[in-house]
Amino acid sequence: DTANIRQTLTETNRRNSPHLTVSFSNWTVETTWQALADCDAGVIPSLPTDAKLVKSPNRLIESVRRGRFVSAYPLPAYQPYADYCWLSECVTDGLRWAIANPRSAVARVAAGQATVAKDCSPHRIVSQWETAITRYAASRPVSLAKPNFASVLAGSIANARL
């Protein structure tokens, strides 16, 4: 319910402004990129449900790539990046830690940016997607396989905003 979220954020801002301000935006690609440009830290909450536990690390990776400290729920896909962010079921603990330890938070992000640049470049991710999609398509009956799909999707990903 966005009304409850908005009310909670208003109360949070009232208590913590100007040192901490939070806002709610409906998701769009443009809003996401703008939010990353405007923020100092990212918070990625989640739940321990089957649907959530299989999420990719994309949100975390993009936030770190953009130089933002991230406090996130400890999803399995986030574990390889644990040294570069804060993983906890209580994401506010990570923000408290970053505020209390700004130099350490910046160092984590810088180390994360180096790893993300090496291991998670858009070109490398495109290649991984293309391989996965091609393998999947090859495993399907010929009547269901669409051989162009992998290269079309990979091209779309490659053209995404970096």
Side-chain angles (χ1 to χ4, degrees):
D1 178 8
T2 61
N4 287 337
I5 294 170
R6 290 176 193 277
Q7 179 60 36
T8 299
L9 297 179
T10 298
E11 291 169 13
T12 300
N13 287 335
R14 198 173 309 138
R15 282 192 312 271
N16 300 293
S17 185
H19 305 292
L20 172 70
T21 56
V22 292
S23 62
F24 177 84
S25 301
N26 290 319
W27 188 92
T28 67
V29 172
E30 295 79 19
T31 301
T32 300
W33 293 124
Q34 190 60 53
L36 281 171
D38 293 345
C39 74
D40 295 316
V43 176
I44 308 174
S46 193
L47 298 168
T49 64
D50 289 344
K52 300 293 185 179
L53 292 174
V54 296
K55 294 287 186 177
S56 77
N58 293 350
R59 292 179 180 128
L60 179 83
I61 288 169
E62 287 308 316
S63 297
V64 170
R65 182 188 319 280
R66 303 264 184 291
R68 302 305 182 251
F69 178 80
V70 177
S71 181
Y73 188 90
L75 296 175
Y78 296 168
Q79 297 307 315
Y81 308 98
D83 291 341
Y84 315 121
C85 61
W86 183 276
L87 298 180
S88 173
E89 290 183 12
C90 181
V91 293
T92 56
D93 287 348
L95 291 179
R96 286 186 187 101
W97 179 86
I99 291 167
N101 302 280
R103 290 180 189 205
S104 295
V106 168
R108 281 190 188 196
V109 173
Q113 284 181 298
T115 296
V116 164
K118 179 177 62 99
D119 297 343
C120 306
S121 72
H123 298 290
R124 185 166 183 183
I125 291 171
V126 166
S127 175
Q128 292 169 340
W129 271 109
E130 188 170 30
T131 299
I133 292 167
T134 301
R135 282 186 190 150
Y136 176 76
S139 73
R140 308 299 300 156
V142 174
S143 62
L144 297 177
K146 296 190 178 187
N148 259 354
F149 180 71
S151 60
V152 170
L153 180 60
S156 296
I157 294 170
N159 292 323
R161 184 174 179 175
L162 303 179

